[in-house]
Amino acid sequence: MIQPTLLSYSFNGPPQPALLDSQSVRPDVILLLDTFFHVVVFHGETCAAWREQRYHEQDEHVAFRNLLEAPQGDAQMIMDNRFPVPRYIVCDQHKSEARFLMAKLNPSVTHNSEGMGGAQVFTDDVSLRVFMEHLMKLAVQS
């Protein structure tokens, strides 16, 4: 089985690997998901709003322009070196194509969670943590 990779791009430094978890989705980051068949560039809510307001075209926002270009360049390198060529998806938080990213994440933040960071995943599935807790309870009972 091929493990998807998730990279997080932010103003805080170079791209860093991120957990495949809903807590990795934040408004101020850009995520690059590589699932072999899909390459997804996901813009957080704040980054998407700044892009729509065309801040990246202004000279005083060179750092934001570089932040937008970095995941696109890395995605192009991934696609150039892979056969079959994966589907390239660029999406924003809370938009329809964000489902390609959200479907791969562990739903640690759901509508039942309280006070946790990250994006809510609307699902009936349980998170990996809840699953492991129930599994440990069952293992101890027998």
Side-chain angles (χ1 to χ4, degrees):
M1 186 165 124
I2 299 171
Q3 174 76 25
T5 60
L6 185 64
L7 289 175
S8 177
Y9 296 79
S10 69
F11 290 113
N12 299 332
Q16 297 182 348
L19 293 174
L20 283 166
D21 195 276
S22 60
Q23 290 183 342
S24 297
V25 177
R26 296 190 318 267
D28 61 337
V29 300
I30 299 174
L31 298 174
L32 175 64
L33 176 71
D34 178 12
T35 65
F36 191 79
F37 293 110
H38 297 99
V39 173
V40 180
V41 176
F42 176 90
H43 298 95
E45 194 171 14
T46 304
C47 291
W50 289 349
R51 189 192 66 230
E52 289 171 3
Q53 293 171 2
R54 300 188 182 276
Y55 285 162
H56 61 285
E57 295 176 357
Q58 299 173 7
D59 291 335
E60 61 268 14
H61 297 289
V62 174
F64 181 60
R65 181 181 317 134
N66 294 338
L67 181 66
L68 285 178
E69 291 172 355
Q72 293 176 356
D74 290 348
Q76 189 61 48
M77 270 196 318
I78 291 169
M79 293 185 303
D80 288 344
N81 295 324
R82 181 158 310 146
F83 184 80
V85 177
R87 180 176 174 193
Y88 180 59
I89 301 164
V90 178
C91 61
D92 299 334
Q93 190 171 3
H94 306 300
K95 302 292 182 174
S96 65
E97 287 195 326
R99 69 185 182 274
F100 287 99
L101 173 79
M102 300 305 283
K104 299 291 183 195
L105 300 179
N106 175 38
S108 63
V109 180
T110 65
H111 59 283
N112 293 326
S113 304
E114 295 180 12
M116 298 181 76
Q120 280 190 351
V121 178
F122 297 103
T123 181
D124 291 332
D125 293 335
V126 296
S127 69
L128 181 61
R129 182 184 55 80
V130 172
F131 173 75
M132 292 301 290
E133 287 173 359
H134 287 291
L135 190 61
M136 285 187 282
K137 278 184 191 175
L138 289 174
V140 172
Q141 285 178 354
S142 19

